[in-house]
Amino acid sequence: MPVTLLLPSPDSNSITVGVSPLAELSACLHALDEPGHHPAAARWVARAHTEIDEDLLVRATAWAPLWSAFRARYLLPLSPGRARSLAGELAEIEALPIGDFTAMTLQALIGKNGAGVGENVLHRLRLISSSRVELGTRLYDDPQGFRRELTAFLEAFAAAAFDAEWPALRAALAAEAAVRERALDQRGAMVIADFPAARAVDRRRIVLDKLYNATARIDADRPCLLVPTLHGRPHLVVKHYPGYPVVIQYGVGTSAGPSLETARHRLAVLQDPTRLKLCYAILRNPVATAELATQLGMTAPQVSRHLRKLREAQLVHVHRRGSVVYYQLDAEAIERLGSDLLSVLHR
């Protein structure tokens, strides 16, 4: 299930790289809410729990649905540009048309990527969690007051737990942005295909491996902003709300994990009982096809067909000694299946 970016040309005129304090602050808040899959932010999270006022932590928990699994669109840059301040970005949220602010908030609460979220929103939120119903009700009752309270919280939290660290973060992110800008100058839009879970279909289409289908066009009227993050690793956040720039927030130094299709393929291959028996037989030592056929009471061609499936899923090592081919299970690949699947679902 991909997000497809359509490029009018392979050049980089419509793509820039920018550092965003608001996006990094939101990444920090996300890590605070879901620390389990953010080991790179573990020290900051631990320090936040010991140094931040308890009331502020409670407020952070109350607002957390806006930056948990689905980030509200306005928590990433609303306009193109390489340099920005937190005060300026909060002012942009305040200046949003209230209809757009409300729709972006509901989108985050529902967890739906698109301009609309449909009818019976509060009923849908009630089926998700009580905290989301509470935020949704407050939003409907007084959207302007809701927005003021949110920006006031973000400003207070930044003062307590983010502002002192931001200069060091900004320097590291700016260095990364400079490297990415040079790559843009040399290779154009194809640098997006370097991100984990991204690939170029051709010179005018780039596919990002996400858990939903969408298409977004990048051009002069709708530019794309690449935003590096340190605390947001390992996520690749893609936002393409109509009428606003496409934003991709990517982790600095994040290695490419398996694609959704790779994880799904490996799980499907291992559903076959015969292949599981083969895995057991080749777990500890390399074994030749003929020997496996003898152990499992099968013909060599039958065993070869099953081994080919395991090899295509990259779950075995293949060794050749003379004319004999030996197979051994890639135990690390099997061991990573759970964490690989989890990393795909967290994207």
Side-chain angles (χ1 to χ4, degrees), residues 62-125:
W63 288 110
L66 297 180
W67 47 73
S68 57
F70 191 102
R71 201 86 49 88
R73 172 61 187 86
Y74 47 71
L75 294 176
L76 290 113
L78 291 165
S79 60
R82 291 174 172 80
R84 62 194 74 238
S85 66
L86 180 60
E89 292 189 291
L90 293 178
E92 282 193 297
I93 296 177
E94 291 285 1
L96 266 178
I98 196 62
D100 285 358
F101 174 82
T102 300
M104 290 176 182
T105 302
L106 292 175
Q107 189 186 84
L109 294 178
I110 291 289
K112 175 180 172 62
N113 224 322
V117 293
E119 303 295 328
N120 303 316
V121 172
L122 291 181
H123 173 70
R124 293 174 65 185
L125 293 176

Side-chain angles (χ1 to χ4, degrees), residues 133-347:
V133 176
E134 181 181 342
L135 287 176
T137 302
R138 288 168 57 193
L139 177 68
Y140 274 122
D141 288 346
D142 182 8
Q144 297 280 9
F146 183 100
R147 177 163 59 182
R148 285 193 300 271
E149 289 181 33
L150 173 60
T151 54
F153 164 76
L154 291 170
E155 188 174 14
F157 191 92
F162 181 76
D163 289 352
E165 186 184 15
W166 174 239
L169 290 172
R170 181 177 55 203
L173 295 174
E176 159 61 25
V179 171
R180 195 70 58 172
E181 284 277 11
R182 288 194 293 272
L184 270 172
D185 291 339
Q186 295 168 0
R187 297 172 48 220
M190 291 299 107
V191 299
I192 298 176
D194 293 340
F195 295 145
R199 61 184 175 87
V201 177
D202 52 43
R203 297 289 290 173
R204 295 180 183 270
R205 284 184 300 164
I206 295 176
V207 168
L208 304 169
D209 189 18
K210 303 295 287 183
L211 293 175
Y212 64 93
N213 289 310
T215 300
R217 182 176 296 278
I218 296 173
D219 53 32
D221 295 326
R222 193 186 188 191
C224 175
L225 182 65
L226 309 180
V227 180
T229 177
L230 288 166
H231 285 298
R233 295 174 291 180
H235 297 314
L236 183 73
V237 178
V238 183
K239 294 297 177 184
H240 43 85
Y241 193 93
Y244 293 86
V246 174
V247 177
I248 301 174
Q249 186 185 41
Y250 64 96
V252 176
T254 302
S255 60
S259 68
L260 173 62
E261 186 55 39
T262 297
R264 187 161 43 200
H265 182 209
R266 289 176 175 175
L267 290 172
V269 164
L270 292 173
Q271 285 181 345
D272 187 284
T274 300
R275 288 178 206 136
L276 286 178
K277 291 178 181 178
L278 276 172
C279 288
Y280 177 78
I282 60 177
L283 171 60
R284 291 174 176 81
N285 301 293
V287 184
T289 304
E291 174 59 23
L292 289 170
T294 301
Q295 290 183 18
L296 273 66
M298 300 169 63
T299 66
Q302 288 174 325
V303 170
S304 293
R305 283 194 291 271
H306 285 291
L307 288 171
R308 185 176 67 251
K309 293 291 186 181
L310 292 170
R311 188 172 66 248
E312 290 171 350
Q314 299 179 339
L315 294 174
V316 293
H317 296 298
V318 181
H319 311 278
R320 182 178 291 277
R321 298 174 189 167
S323 61
V324 181
V325 178
Y326 294 82
Y327 293 86
Q328 185 167 13
L329 189 68
D330 186 343
E332 289 187 5
I334 298 294
E335 188 176 18
R336 288 196 311 268
L337 268 175
S339 58
D340 284 350
L341 178 59
L342 197 59
S343 71
V344 167
L345 296 176
H346 273 311
R347 283 177 189 155

